[in-house]
Amino acid sequence: MSTHTIRVCCGTGCIANGSRGVAAALREAAARAGAPAVSVETQVKATGCHGFCAKGPVVAVDPDGISYYQVKESDAEEIVASLGGAPVERLLFRREDGTFARGEADNPFYEGQVKIALRNVGKIDPLSLGDYRARGGYEALEKALAMAPEDIIAEVEKSGLRGRGGAGFPTGTKWRSCAACEETQRYVVCNGDEGDPGAFMDGYIMEGDPHSVIEGLAICALAVGAEEGFFYIRDEYLVALDHMARALADAEAAGILGDSVLGSGRRLRFEIVRGGGAFVCGESTALMASIEGRVGEPRAKYIRSVQKGLWDKPTVLNNVETLATVPVILKEGYEAVQELGVGRSRGTKTFAMVGKVKNGGLVEVPMGTTIRQLVFGNGGGIAGGRPFKSIQTGGPSGGCLPESLLDLPVDYESLDANGTMVGSGGMIVMDDRNCMVDVAKYYVGFLAQESCGKCTPCREGLRHMHAILTGICEGKGTEADIERLEELGFTLKEASLCALGKTAANPVLSTLRYFKEEYLSHIQDGFCPAGVCRALVVFGIDAEKCKACGLCAGSCPASCISGEGKQPYEIDAARCTACGNCRKACHFEAIHPEKRMAV
Amino acid sequence: MKEDIERIVALYPPERRFALAAMQDMQRQFNYIPAEGLDALSAAMGIPIAQLYSMATFYRALSLKPKGRHIIKICDGTACHISGSEVLAAALHDAIGIRPGEVTEDGAFSLETVNCLGSCAVAPVMLIDDTHFGGVTPDRLAAIIEEVGAK
């Protein structure tokens, strides 16, 4: 009798693609196929994210090592019927050369990935404590209970682990300074307020492996001598909140948390706090203010929060991915993290690679992997075969890198030196149809909205930068604007209170550094070469390339495209709103942006 | 409404740190935070009403005005932005006549943009109440709205 486990990804991305329906259909199909003709015992598990979100819903079959993509409910019967035999070929991943990848092992998306923070995500049922323990879960906590706090901290220090949420502060150092405080009432906090647009690794870790985060925070609490801890989780993360709450309850019921942690007599109490939907609350002091029940405004850090944090008590705050890595360090030794990476950036980092990349999703790679490997190796290049233009890293306060830096290794120091940062690990890939001025405007608009308003440089500076960028996108820019942007950017960097303001100019400064000609094209020629800034652009049809298929006319909301028979189609420039639908619809690259003439 | 407010306030110990959670519960219950709710919370927790008001206006998850029965959230995170979330917002305006921040006249829908729903690989994404929709195109939009509106 052979046993098969079918794992259905139920991460938020796959859920949006209908994976819960697929899981239900597979369960039904497995139940129906219960006939012992091919004595198969099937277990269908809803797991966390398998990483390859762009091709979801993802379904994996164990122990065969098969992975299926874009599975529909109607495929369930066929998958169950194939168990133990040949895989359902049409659902396998098709490589560039047309051959099929059987599973993760021979799929280029997973090449070079080393899963530490994501070790269980997608592999286990996140709501099953048994699954977690079967993979060695809570063994690190048990080990930590037998260790002196000093030894736990030393192990984390030796691993070289640095904060995965943004700043990259050495985790062990943070713990050490907290443990050294005189005040004995201390707190630990897990920052699950992942507010960066385009980053979702923390959400998916909490969804897919909540116990690893709990175990990480428990070890942190033992190391710094805290009994109480908080998980501050974004309110928008419905699944993550649910899974974390259930995992916490299970851990308490099993005696892993509570008045006597694993029977040791040590006390640990953790609580979940739902975020209020404010980006600035990802900043540590703002987050603590929010937990205390106040408006989430940061404070100046003359005194660091490891000394005076929550309720003025010493507090260690770590990010989800950092904490999920901690149990591995204790269980397998610091070498597991330390031996990977480059320079002062050790271990792995999870990136959410999305945007115009062909195979987007979550990838966890050793620090120092090049951008080229990520985008063109794991990501399979740009969707639709379009040219690569830029990659934006580090969230809204990161920067945009050009094609010439594709071979840059991704680590804290290299990115920092080139005007961007690792940040939380968002990576947005852009092609020739993305306008860098528009992207800068988007981020500055976002940050202006999310600025808490406490300090003037951030509140006023961002507002003015946004107004200048909007002017440039509307063709009202002057060359002096560039100087003004640089000056405002400098002021923000020097004078803002918290990291939100200090880094807020990065999107503008980095695009000015690498894509200045695009700004100049808007300012001097009144034209947006990417065809994004609507005030400067109309679309035109290249008569030689047009095949008169009519797809463009059908997609035009302004009904301003006309054509008959086999004659090339035409766009009425006066009525064109430059929405770009026609360009997306065209299969022949026949539609291109042209300068909008003043009426 | 009064009983619901009392029930929510009674869920929490009278400590400041539970104010946000209580307000989030009210938001879920009523789709906004009624003035009576702020009063009750202020009295129970001993927090000046001005401070609760500043929280209610600071946090995006909270609203002092009633929202629609169904809340549509268009994701305008980076990946969704560069995949055409603005086109989606325009198409929604054509379909139900409201822009982000507004509520339809019959109170059925309210529309918001949010920063990131964490489903970037299937952008553009939309959330209606608790249901995620990925890879939404203007074409699919009409069918989705109709389905939800019928409920």
Side-chain angles (χ1 to χ4, degrees), chain A residues 143-229:
Chain A
K143 215 166 157 184
L145 282 165
M147 288 165 79
E150 163 61 34
D151 297 336
I152 303 178
I153 293 172
E155 198 74 5
V156 173
E157 274 177 339
K158 276 189 282 182
S159 77
L161 178 66
R162 291 164 69 183
R164 299 293 190 239
F169 192 84
T171 308
T173 312
K174 196 186 259 186
W175 292 12
R176 183 175 294 284
S177 359
C178 182
C181 288
E182 271 179 35
E183 169 68 52
T184 51
Q185 170 71 38
R186 298 167 192 160
Y187 297 102
V188 289
V189 178
C190 167
N191 184 350
D193 193 46
E194 187 174 50
D196 281 14
F200 48 90
M201 64 289 293
D202 291 351
Y204 283 15
I205 291 173
M206 291 187 284
E207 281 177 10
D209 192 16
H211 285 289
S212 71
V213 190
I214 295 171
E215 187 174 5
L217 193 68
I219 293 168
C220 169
L222 292 179
V224 304
E227 291 192 340
E228 282 171 66

Side-chain angles (χ1 to χ4, degrees), chain A residues 292-306:
Chain A
E292 291 174 9
R294 294 187 284 119
V295 166
E297 285 176 352
R299 61 165 176 80
K301 291 191 210 168
Y302 308 117
I303 301 171
R304 287 182 300 125
S305 49
V306 285

